[in-house]
Amino acid sequence: MIRSVLVANRGEIARRVFRTCRSLGIGTVAVYSDADASAAHVREADIAVRLPGSAPADTYLRGELVVRAALAAGADAVHPGYGFLSEDAGFATAVTDAGLVWIGPPPSAISAMASKTRAKSLMGAAGVPLLSSVDPAVVTAGDLPVLVKASAGGGGRGMRVVRDLAALADEVASARAEAVAAFGDGSVFVEPYVEGGRHVEVQILADAHGTVWALGTRDCSLQRRHQKVVEEAPAPGLSVSLRDTLRDAAVAAASAVDYRGAGTVEFLVAPGGRAYFLEMNTRLQVEHPVTECVYGVDLVALQIRVAEGYALGAPPSPVGHAVSARLYAEDPARSWRPWAGVVHRLSVGAGADAEAGAFGVRRRGLRGGGPGPYIYGPVGRNPSGAPTLGPQIHVSVPDPHPCDPVTSRGALSAGLRVDSGVDDGDVVGVHYDPMLAKVIAWAPTRAEAVRRLAYELERARIHGPVTNRSLLVRSLRHPEFLAGEMDTGFYDRHLAELTDADEAGGIRLAALAAALADAASSPSRFGGWRNVPSQPQAKRYRAGDDEVEIRYRLGRGGLVAEGFDEVRLVSAAPSFVVLEVGGVRRGFEVACYSGGDVHVDSSLGSFALAVLPRFPDPTTRTSPGSLLAPMPGTVVRVADGIAVGKPVRAGQPLMWLEAMKMEHRVVSPADGTLTALHAVPGRQVEVGALLAVVTTEETTP
């Protein structure tokens, strides 16, 4: 029996595993980098061991340090989570060689699937349908579009869609460079790119006694940069025969490598309904909660039980539908730019402290945590004498449902789950993935689950860095998604409309509410009431790239605000303002934080404002043509042939920054001449740092 587990990971997945361990009576050990010294997963563990340094290559990717930490902490098992070393066969071997239990598949299975090219060969021999690879040297215009993929890749790294034959060589070189930086292996391959394809995967779970469960399908077609954003189970709109094909292929893939534990077999489903094997992930997937919600199981608990030698019984039956959305600290409207900073508040669902109506009525709830109560049947014996463990099968929706989280702070309302890597006050740093949380909704039908998830996300209180929350809500309500007709090109087609900032009226009302809340917090209350005309009070805010000025005064007739003829002030307090707009009352919750950040939440949406000084500082202007770092990160490379004094074209890549596990191109804003270059590979830069200057005829003094 396992008594203590070290999780060789961080953030949300470490907390996820810890919660299951606690429910099973298993001790927990965290590892942490210097950047994560005060992280939530460190605070939750029974024991924590430091990995000196901040970069992943110096900390979470150092297998020998992780094994040493497990031994020092007295752990008897290691759970890898996902990412980092989770699919490193050498690390799995080192764990078992140290006398520890590896909660994952055999190293031989990991090794067999580690290379996508080798995995394809194995799957072809097992009869699994494949897309044939193409030699980059012989690709013709007739073969386009093609997809360049890193052989050792994952998480969208080292992937490029190529539609122009002239760009193929550069894209292959770029993919190789990114693959070397991310995986230490620059090998890539090319395969046909299927337009309009869907990303569908099958969750598998196998024991050491020959049993393989295929726990239904998941659709993960909504992706940005080949990374998943929205997932659901079961995948909608599949025929019975296609579901059977996917299940049989997934079981065959697992059997071909003598698989054990949890894993995922991923497929590309072409518009005609034909499925092709993509890869097998020999670990727990980020999106595993939707399967847990539908099948009423705890996959982490089952991983642990399989590692302890238990045999699986009969698989459970699915109930209902679950949809998950990944909440990222990023700006989809600006090329998915990640954001770092303090998470002042993250509260979703019944945990939102305020469901504030026009009259200030509030309900206070509990913030959500992780996976909930999972019910297991008795441990028995199968005919071969091996111990069995099977989830109890419910023929109706259990109460509470397995999707309901239970934490030390309580449970959310039925059918909603939040798996988060941060708590209020935590910092999103530049070294790791910018995912804040996964929000999962379960309901008897897909339409109900989608509606619930959009509703809860829209009303969540998320204060701090810019997030993709608005994009998620709009995606879930898009007609194409509601009809279940999405594919991997969804954001290529719809990103502009999904990020259109049609919120001018809401921003101005939010700024007015912020100004009135600020006035209500001052001793003089609204600048003092006067019976004679006076100069209006003025407040300036920045919302995104826009500036909003609010000018108001309070007289005998009430509020008089410039540009708000139909707005009447009902009440104002430092954190809550009620306005009547055209006869309709709306409540505005106002939260102010140090540094001048103000967040306003209402039925019109959630708006982040920055307080601006009354008189702007003229010295803060930058020279025309200056290219500034859009985020803190590391300059990983500068484009070949780039040099001061040489001409550049509009849109030409000049350099690449790496931040939060993603590469970001910095391109020339116009045709001109590169007159300054401050970017050096390996240089750490802060947001706003000067990288280069491109001079055009218009910008020449």
Side-chain angles (χ1 to χ4, degrees):
M1 297 293 290
I2 293 172
R3 298 183 306 278
S4 177
V5 171
L6 179 142
V7 178
N9 221 292
R10 63 176 301 279
E12 172 267 327
I13 185 57
R15 301 180 81 186
R16 162 71 187 89
V17 177
F18 290 164
R19 285 191 290 270
T20 287
C21 288
R22 286 195 297 269
S23 71
L24 297 176
I26 296 174
T28 56
V29 181
V31 287
Y32 65 93
S33 68
D34 292 342
D36 276 340
S38 60
H41 78 280
V42 179
R43 298 194 299 267
E44 287 190 5
D46 297 327
I47 300 173
V49 182
R50 175 180 175 240
L51 304 176
S54 292
D58 299 327
T59 55
Y60 298 108
L61 290 172
R62 292 279 301 277
E64 75 281 8
L65 296 183
V66 176
V67 170
R68 194 182 308 161
L71 295 174
D76 49 21
V78 172
H79 191 297
Y82 52 70
F84 293 134
L85 297 168
S86 62
E87 294 179 283
D88 187 317
F91 177 61
T93 299
V95 168
T96 57
D97 286 349
L100 302 168
V101 176
W102 169 250
I103 304 175
S108 58
I110 299 175
S111 180
M113 292 297 171
S115 166
K116 290 183 173 65
T117 51
R118 187 163 62 251
K120 281 195 166 193
S121 177
L122 285 170
M123 293 303 99
V128 177
L130 302 171
L131 278 171
S132 57
S133 298
V134 183
D135 184 348
V138 298
V139 172
T140 67
D143 297 321
L144 300 176
V146 294
L147 183 65
V148 182
K149 300 177 73 173
S151 181
R157 305 295 300 270
M159 294 182 68
R160 305 286 190 277
V161 177
V162 181
R163 302 179 185 277
D164 180 2
L165 190 60
L168 179 61
D170 287 343
E171 294 291 8
V172 168
S174 178
R176 282 177 174 152
E178 186 177 5
V180 168
F183 314 112
D185 183 348
S187 58
V188 300
F189 65 99
V190 176
E191 65 184 17
Y193 179 70
V194 178
E195 300 277 12
R198 290 176 60 184
H199 184 116
V200 179
E201 58 192 35
V202 177
Q203 175 70 58
I204 60 168
L205 189 75
D207 62 21
H209 308 280
T211 299
V212 180
W213 286 358
L215 296 179
T217 57
R218 295 191 291 251
D219 189 291
C220 309
S221 297
L222 264 62
Q223 303 177 3
R224 54 96 163 108
R225 293 187 169 187
H226 309 291
Q227 292 180 317
K228 302 160 189 174
V229 177
V230 176
E231 305 101 358
E232 60 181 301
L238 302 185
S239 66
V240 174
S241 61
L242 180 54
R243 288 200 302 268
D244 291 344
T245 296
L246 295 174
R247 180 198 62 218
D248 294 345
V251 172
S255 300
V257 293
D258 191 24
Y259 200 80
R260 291 196 298 275
T264 301
V265 185
E266 300 189 346
F267 299 90
L268 182 66
V269 177
R274 186 170 180 181
Y276 301 96
F277 171 83
L278 285 176
E279 62 183 345
M280 181 176 180
N281 293 129
T282 54
R283 54 174 168 80
L284 200 65
Q285 292 277 84
V286 180
E287 59 272 18
H288 75 274
V290 291
T291 297
E292 291 184 322
C293 290
V294 169
Y295 280 86
V297 298
D298 181 339
L299 289 172
V300 174
L302 289 169
Q303 283 183 295
I304 293 172
R305 296 297 178 87
V306 167
E308 289 179 323
Y310 284 91
L312 297 170
S317 299
V319 178
H321 200 97
V323 187
S324 174
R326 302 188 192 185
L327 185 66
Y328 284 105
E330 67 181 12
D331 189 347
R334 291 171 174 79
S335 302
W336 310 98
R337 180 192 304 173
W339 285 73
V342 177
V343 179
H344 299 298
R345 185 176 173 198
L346 177 59
S347 190
V348 184
D353 286 356
E355 182 72 10
F359 305 100
V361 177
R362 306 182 182 208
R363 59 179 172 85
R364 288 193 173 271
L366 299 159
R367 283 191 278 277
Y374 298 92
I375 305 170
Y376 291 91
V379 175
R381 296 278 169 179
N382 64 17
S384 66
T388 62
L389 176 72
Q392 180 177 326
I393 308 304
H394 296 277
V395 295
S396 60
V397 180
D399 185 20
H401 187 271
C403 199
D404 303 338
V406 170
T407 70
S408 59
R409 292 172 292 190
L412 292 183
S413 53
L416 186 70
R417 166 174 165 178
V418 181
D419 285 13
S420 174
V422 297
D423 288 330
D424 295 358
D426 286 348
V427 176
V428 178
V430 301
H431 298 287
Y432 313 112
D433 185 275
M435 188 173 75
L436 301 177
K438 298 177 301 196
V439 183
I440 308 102
W442 175 93
T445 67
R446 180 179 189 265
E448 292 173 288
V450 171
R451 180 176 64 187
R452 174 70 183 281
L453 182 57
Y455 174 90
E456 299 293 0
L457 282 169
E458 186 175 51
R459 284 156 177 77
R461 300 298 183 252
I462 307 168
H463 299 167
V466 174
T467 73
N468 65 336
R469 183 253 298 273
S470 178
L471 173 86
L472 294 174
V473 173
R474 293 182 178 189
S475 299
L476 292 167
R477 291 174 175 166
H478 193 278
E480 194 172 297
F481 181 82
L482 291 173
E485 297 173 350
M486 61 284 178
D487 57 59
T488 56
F490 180 84
Y491 286 126
D492 292 336
R493 296 190 299 274
H494 302 301
L495 185 61
E497 65 185 90
L498 293 171
T499 56
D500 180 27
D502 185 20
E503 304 169 329
I507 289 174
R508 283 186 53 77
L509 281 170
L512 175 61
L516 295 173
D518 179 62
S521 66
S522 65
S524 59
R525 296 276 296 173
F526 302 101
W529 182 88
R530 299 182 182 182
N531 196 30
V532 295
S534 62
Q535 291 296 317
Q537 301 292 315
K539 289 283 185 181
R540 295 173 60 246
Y541 300 93
R542 184 177 67 250
D545 295 331
D546 301 322
E547 291 189 11
V548 181
E549 184 176 54
I550 301 297
R551 297 174 65 84
Y552 71 91
R553 65 174 177 266
L554 196 65
R556 181 184 299 174
L559 173 71
V560 178
E562 296 181 7
F564 296 94
D565 296 337
E566 295 187 352
V567 176
R568 184 174 73 88
L569 174 63
V570 178
S571 64
S575 61
F576 195 73
V577 174
V578 180
L579 300 175
E580 188 175 281
V581 185
V584 178
R585 286 193 177 187
R586 299 185 187 274
F588 297 80
E589 181 190 352
V590 181
C592 301
Y593 301 98
S594 61
D597 290 340
V598 180
H599 288 263
V600 181
D601 295 285
S602 74
S603 59
L604 296 174
S606 181
F607 301 96
L609 308 171
V611 179
L612 296 177
R614 292 186 63 186
F615 305 103
D617 183 355
T619 64
T620 59
R621 297 178 181 177
T622 58
S623 302
S626 297
L627 295 180
L628 307 180
M631 69 207 74
T634 304
V635 179
V636 290
R637 62 185 186 278
V638 175
D640 293 338
I642 295 299
V644 173
K646 287 196 172 184
V648 293
R649 307 182 311 276
Q652 178 182 350
L654 302 181
M655 66 201 72
W656 285 260
L657 294 181
E658 184 178 85
M660 298 178 172
K661 295 178 65 178
M662 297 175 67
E663 275 198 359
H664 307 269
R665 294 192 307 174
V666 178
V667 302
S668 174
D671 292 341
T673 302
L674 187 70
T675 53
L677 180 62
H678 301 283
V680 177
R683 177 190 171 195
Q684 297 277 340
V685 296
E686 297 298 323
V687 62
L690 181 63
L691 301 174
V693 178
V694 174
T695 302
T696 65
E697 292 183 2
E698 291 77 11
T699 60
T700 301

